[in-house]
Amino acid sequence: MFTGIIESRGKIQRISPSRGNLTFLVESHISKELKPGDSVSHNGVCLTVETIPSQSQYTVSAIQETLAKSNLCDLSEGNEVNLERSLRGDGRIDGHFVQGHVDTMGNILEISELDGSHEFWISFPESSNLVPSS
């Protein structure tokens, strides 16, 4: 579980394809606090830490289903990603409860600038179960 509040930024150092999946080598100052098996949100998508090759780097992999339903397949080496470590049961919870599991991708139809914020209009495929049936 996550709060949806960005904790840090990471930089994609390397992307390694393997049988339709992608493994990302991420550089971030939170790396030294991670261990294999930890859940970390990358641009809102929950991925599991696999290895920690150095105190400043870790690896995660995204499977084909995750790549098809997120923007992670659009990442390139050198890109930055928003990071958030999973919630701890003994801390304050700012933000919201967010699982980090992606259901579908939508298309941004319009972005309106509102006095100090933005409003997004997004369409989703009918098959996503996110669109109410009439």
Side-chain angles (χ1 to χ4, degrees), residues 36-112:
D38 283 354
S39 294
V40 178
S41 172
H42 297 75
N43 285 352
V45 179
C46 178
L47 298 175
T48 302
V49 174
E50 295 175 341
T51 65
I52 303 173
S54 75
Q55 285 206 354
S56 64
Q57 297 177 328
Y58 65 93
T59 63
V60 292
S61 292
I63 63 171
Q64 292 176 33
E65 182 74 7
T66 301
L67 295 169
K69 291 185 175 179
S70 71
N71 68 353
L72 297 181
C73 62
D74 297 330
L75 292 174
S76 300
E77 293 176 1
N79 286 161
E80 290 192 335
V81 289
N82 296 323
L83 302 174
E84 180 191 358
R85 289 176 291 174
S86 60
L87 284 172
R88 292 176 44 136
D90 63 349
R92 276 194 5 227
I93 299 173
D94 295 326
H96 310 278
F97 282 115
V98 181
Q99 288 185 335
H101 295 266
V102 178
D103 294 315
T104 191
M105 284 185 46
N107 292 311
I108 297 174
L109 301 176
E110 180 182 340
I111 303 173
S112 302

Side-chain angles (χ1 to χ4, degrees), residues 3-4 22 31 47 53 81 98 131:
T3 64
L22 294 178
S31 300
L47 298 175
V81 289
V98 181
V131 178

